[in-house]
């Protein structure tokens, strides 16, 4: 029955290996070396705890897939206790085991490899190899020397992955002497024992294992629909880039034109245009730079003249109408015209202490009073006498 279980486990390992989407690894990647130590005791005919003796061992394995590894291991029982009437051997070790094994990561097998080393995992382990007893067996008047036997071993590993390369684990396991050999009589006989508790030992060890290499890198499976979608996105981005480049070129041309107009305005001396109506005593113009509502130093004399007149004529008030040229966005220019009127009002109130009630300021939007377009960036201040 156990043979069928082992075969089923091996088949599951093969299936898991083929299902993992990982890159092919170099031969010298994902090798591990480990040391461990613990105790071992017979599972029958001896006191379980009283018969325990220490064991130490080494492991060397290769991780074939994220779920499956193969390796070799050794265990040496230290000469500290007698089993089944046997006397101590003359060496430091009473018995030894050297064998090969396969190890299955149950989490990666059933849960799938998530492209990362899990902090904790459980692994099933099964192996077979060469067992050797250094303990002399006394049978009547005969003393039987060392002997070899075929052994199998199964267990579980509870692994704590401290880092991607360093693992601390605990392994309970059972080892069977498949050749028998516990028949006491006139002649020493090695019988066919199979999986018998009378020829089994229980082992539990703790150890540390270090893996060399970078682990397994995931490979994303090829998906034609995703490739087509990405190609469509690339084509859309290329089209958007061409459109953006054309828009940038257009903006550069417009910017160059606006800079030329700005230089022309800066170099041109403003001309004062007088408007006369039935109720006007005086009109002053405050010109602004393109896109700005800030009163420049060369326009301050006009503000000062309006303030002086209002201070000298307490009954007078001023109507400020702000305008913008036709350059640029219409909605922006409407707001800019209102800001220019409000800028003149704020200067009269804050700097010259003119009462705000004597000033009416409002934006008039796009100006068309002057044929010279730049002159329409203006606030027209009309002084009136109150009746």
């Amino acid at each position: 029955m156990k043979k069928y279980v082992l075969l089923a486990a091996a088949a599951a390992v093969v299936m898991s290996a083929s299902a993992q989407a990982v890159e092919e690894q170099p031969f010298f990647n994902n090798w591990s070396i480990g040391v461990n130590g613990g105790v071992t005791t017979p599972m029958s005919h001896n006191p379980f705890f009283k018969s325990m003796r220490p064991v130490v061992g080494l492991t060397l394995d290769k991780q074939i897939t994220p779920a499956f590894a193969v390796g070799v291991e050794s265990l040496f029982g230290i000469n500290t206790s007698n089993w089944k009437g046997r006397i101590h051997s003359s060496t430091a070790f009473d018995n030894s085991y050297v064998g090969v094994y396969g190890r299955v990561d149950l989490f990666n097998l059933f849960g799938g490899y998530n492209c990362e080393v899990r902090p904790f995992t459980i692994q099933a382990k099964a192996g077979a190899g060469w067992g050797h007893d250094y303990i002399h067996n006394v049978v009547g008047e005969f003393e039987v020397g060392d002997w070899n036997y075929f052994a199998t071993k199964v267990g579980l590993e509870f692994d704590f992955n401290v880092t991607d390369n360093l693992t601390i684990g605990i392994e309970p396991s059972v080892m069977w002497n498949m050749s028998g050999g516990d028949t006491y009589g006139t002649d020493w006989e090695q019988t066919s024992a199979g999986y018998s508790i009378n020829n089994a030992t229980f082992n539990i060890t703790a150890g540390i294992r270090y893996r060399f290499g970078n682990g397994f890198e995931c490979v994303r499976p090829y998906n034609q629909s995703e490739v087509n979608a990405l190609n469509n996105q690339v084509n859309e981005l290329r089209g958007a880039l061409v459109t953006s480049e054309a828009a940038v070129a257009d903006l550069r041309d417009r910017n160059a034109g606006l800079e030329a107009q700005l230089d022309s305005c800066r170099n041109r001396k403003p001309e004062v245009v007088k408007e006369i109506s039935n109720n006007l005593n005086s009109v002053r113009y405050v010109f602004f730079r393109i896109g700005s509502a800030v009163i420049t130093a060369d326009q301050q004399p006009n503000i000062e003249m309006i303030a002086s007149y209002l201070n000298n004529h307490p009954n007078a008030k001023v109507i400020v109408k702000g305008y913008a040229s036709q350059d640029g966005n219409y909605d922006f220019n409407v707001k800019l015209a209102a800001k220019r009127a409000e800028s003149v009002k704020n200067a009269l109130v804050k700097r010259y202490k003119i009462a705000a009630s004597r000033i009416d300021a409002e934006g008039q939007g796009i100006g068309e009073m002057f044929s010279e377009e730049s002159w329409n960036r203006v606030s027209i201040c009309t002084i009136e006498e109150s009746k």
Side-chain angles (χ1 to χ4, degrees), residues 1-12:
M1 178 65 182
K2 293 182 179 179
K3 293 181 179 180
Y4 293 111
V5 173
L6 293 175
L7 289 174

Side-chain angles (χ1 to χ4, degrees), residues 263-387:
D263 292 337
S264 176
C265 292
R266 288 174 177 171
N267 297 328
R268 183 183 296 111
K269 184 178 180 180
E271 296 182 14
V272 179
V273 180
K274 297 182 179 180
E275 290 184 354
I276 301 175
S277 65
N278 296 334
N279 298 323
L280 294 182
N281 290 324
S282 182
V283 176
R284 290 292 180 267
Y285 299 88
V286 179
F287 291 95
F288 297 86
R289 292 181 177 176
I290 184 171
S292 174
V294 177
I295 300 173
T296 57
D298 61 332
Q299 299 299 307
Q300 288 294 341
N302 293 328
I303 303 295
E304 186 175 351
M305 291 177 66
I306 297 170
S308 177
Y309 186 91
L310 294 176
N311 285 328
N312 294 330
H313 300 81
N315 294 326
K317 70 175 185 177
V318 62
I319 300 174
V320 184
K321 296 183 178 182
Y323 296 89
S325 66
Q326 298 184 22
D327 297 324
N329 180 271
Y330 175 81
D331 293 336
F332 174 79
N333 285 333
V334 171
K335 295 178 181 178
L336 181 60
K339 288 181 179 179
R340 286 169 173 168
E342 194 67 25
S343 180
V344 174
K345 179 179 179 179
N346 290 338
L348 291 171
V349 172
K350 295 179 180 179
R351 184 170 182 178
Y352 297 101
K353 310 303 179 184
I354 304 300
S357 60
R358 300 176 64 191
I359 307 169
D360 291 333
E362 58 180 342
Q364 297 297 305
I366 306 302
E368 298 179 348
M369 296 79 64
F370 306 104
S371 59
E372 182 63 37
E373 188 62 34
S374 62
W375 290 7
N376 290 309
R377 305 181 193 117
V378 66
S379 283
I380 300 177
C381 307
T382 304
I383 300 175
E384 293 183 346
E385 291 288 346
S386 299
K387 295 181 180 180

Side-chain angles (χ1 to χ4, degrees), residues 46-68:
N46 285 269
F48 187 82
F49 291 102
K50 187 177 179 180
S51 299
M52 282 185 174
R53 66 165 59 123
V55 290
V56 294
L58 297 172
T59 62
L60 176 66
D61 62 40
K62 162 73 172 177
Q63 195 77 32
I64 306 299
T65 73
F68 180 62

Side-chain angles (χ1 to χ4, degrees), residues 5 8-13 15-17 19-20 66-68 104-114 118 121-124 156:
V5 173
V13 168
M15 293 175 62
S16 69
Q20 300 298 334
F68 180 62
V104 179
D105 188 317
L106 299 179
F107 285 15
N108 285 342
L109 176 64
F110 297 107
Y113 181 55
N114 60 2
R118 288 182 166 90
T121 188
I122 300 176
Q123 305 201 52
L156 290 175

Side-chain angles (χ1 to χ4, degrees), residues 144-156:
V144 181
D146 296 355
W147 61 286
N148 302 309
Y149 54 90
F150 174 66
T152 59
K153 180 173 174 282
V154 296
L156 290 175

Side-chain angles (χ1 to χ4, degrees), residues 32-172:
S32 300
I33 186 170
V35 294
N36 52 66
V39 294
T40 180
T41 187
M43 296 188 70
S44 66
H45 303 305
N46 285 269
F48 187 82
F49 291 102
K50 187 177 179 180
S51 299
M52 282 185 174
R53 66 165 59 123
V55 290
V56 294
L58 297 172
T59 62
L60 176 66
D61 62 40
K62 162 73 172 177
Q63 195 77 32
I64 306 299
T65 73
F68 180 62
V70 294
V72 295
E73 65 176 338
S74 63
L75 278 178
F76 296 89
I78 299 176
N79 187 341
T80 60
S81 62
N82 292 337
W83 286 357
K84 302 180 182 178
R86 301 173 184 173
I87 64 175
H88 288 299
S89 73
S90 59
T91 67
F93 303 104
D94 278 349
N95 59 354
S96 64
Y97 167 78
V98 178
V100 297
Y101 64 84
R103 190 177 69 240
V104 179
D105 188 317
L106 299 179
F107 285 15
N108 285 342
L109 176 64
F110 297 107
Y113 181 55
N114 60 2
C115 303
E116 295 180 355
V117 176
R118 288 182 166 90
F120 172 76
T121 188
I122 300 176
Q123 305 201 52
K125 186 175 178 182
W130 168 53
H132 183 81
D133 275 1
Y134 301 89
I135 303 174
H136 292 304
N137 295 276
V138 178
V139 181
E141 299 177 356
F142 301 95
E143 183 176 309
V144 181
D146 296 355
W147 61 286
N148 302 309
Y149 54 90
F150 174 66
T152 59
K153 180 173 174 282
V154 296
L156 290 175
E157 283 190 11
F158 300 89
D159 288 341
F160 300 86
N161 296 305
V162 181
T163 69
D164 287 351
N165 298 90
L166 186 64
T167 299
I168 297 175
I170 299 174
E171 179 189 348

